[in-house]
Amino acid sequence: MAHELKRPQTAPATLRNIDFDRQEIWQARVDLAACLRAAARYGLEEGICNHFSALVPGHHDLFLVNRLGWAFEETTASSLLICDFDGNVVSGDGEPEATAFFIHARLHRMAPRIGAAFHTHMPNATALSMIEGEPLVWAGQTALKFYGRTVVDEDYNGLALDEREGDRLASVLGDKDILFMKNHGVMVCAPNIAEAWDDLYYLERAAEVQLKAMSTGRPLLPVHPEIAAATAKQMREGDPESARLHLESLKRRLDVKSPDYKL
C-alpha cells in the first residue's frame, strides 16, 4: 500500500551544502529512530505504510521522515531522510513515501507549532476511528491526558496523494494535538519528538482499555466533565518532563536490545 513520491528534484545547491551533522540534528535523528523502533516493538506500525516526522533543529522549513520501503524496526538514525516542503530530499538515500510527504509536509508548513507528527494505523486507536461518534468516552484516567485535545476528521477521502488532502487534514486538526482520522488511523502532533512519542504510546493504551471495557457489553462510566478537565490540566503541566523521561527510558532499553538504532 506504500506509494512512491513522484516529484521533480529541484533542491538548490546551497541547501544541499548545509551541515546536517551538527549534534542537535544528530540527536533528533537518534530520538526519532528510537521512537520508530519502539513503535515496532509495541505493534503500533502497519507494514511499511506508517510514518513519523520531526522538524530539523534550526531549520523550520525542513523535516526528518522515515524512508519509503523500510519497516519501522529497520530504521536507524542515519537512514532517516531530510526533506524540504517541496518534496526534495536534501539529505539521505532514498525517497519519502508519497502519503508521508503530502501529509507531513503540509502539517509542518501550515502549523509551525508542530515539531513532530506521528501517523499510525495502530490497532486500538484505529478501531475507535471506525465506530460512530466520538472515539474516546473519557471513562479511563489515561484517556484524560487527551481531554480537550482531540478532533475527528469525519470525511475519509482516500489516500493522501496530493497537497490538497494534506491541507485539508491540517485544517481539520486546527489547534488540536490528536487527529482521529475516520476509517483510517490517527495523527499525533506535538512540539517535540519526546511528547509525540509519549502521546502516541498513551493514546493506544487508552484506546485499548476502553475497547476492553466496551467488550463487556456493560455501560461505560465517563468521568464528570469538570473532573476530566481538571485532571487533564494536571497531566499537561507535567507532560513535557514526563515525556522526556519516557523517551530516555525507551532509549536505555533499546541500547541493550537494539543498539544499532543509533547508527
Side-chain angles (χ1 to χ4, degrees), residues 72-205:
F72 281 15
E73 64 181 346
E74 297 180 89
T75 304
T76 63
S78 60
S79 76
L80 295 169
L81 306 175
I82 294 180
C83 301
D84 66 17
F85 294 155
D86 295 317
N88 300 299
V89 177
V90 299
S91 179
D93 296 322
E95 299 293 331
E97 199 271 334
T99 61
F101 170 73
F102 287 116
I103 294 175
H104 292 254
R106 304 310 293 177
L107 278 174
H108 288 301
R109 170 172 270 173
M110 294 181 67
R113 68 182 178 86
I114 299 174
F118 290 5
H119 170 58
T120 74
H121 303 162
M122 53 191 187
N124 294 292
T126 299
L128 292 183
S129 80
M130 296 165 60
I131 61 178
E132 292 183 2
E134 288 293 321
L136 293 172
V137 296
W138 317 116
Q141 177 171 284
T142 302
L144 299 183
K145 174 179 171 65
F146 306 103
Y147 190 81
R149 301 173 59 207
T150 68
V151 66
V152 179
D153 173 23
E154 298 282 0
D155 301 313
Y156 177 67
N157 202 35
L159 301 182
L161 295 176
D162 58 50
E163 292 178 346
R164 290 172 300 175
E165 183 64 4
D167 288 348
R168 188 187 70 80
L169 291 170
S171 178
V172 173
L173 178 70
D175 63 355
K176 302 300 184 182
D177 301 321
I178 311 298
L179 179 63
F180 277 93
M181 306 158 81
K182 284 289 188 180
N183 311 108
H184 183 173
V186 293
M187 175 70 73
V188 172
C189 299
N192 53 61
I193 293 170
E195 290 184 62
W197 167 253
D198 198 59
D199 278 348
L200 187 81
Y201 173 85
Y202 285 113
L203 181 65
E204 180 68 352
R205 295 289 289 180

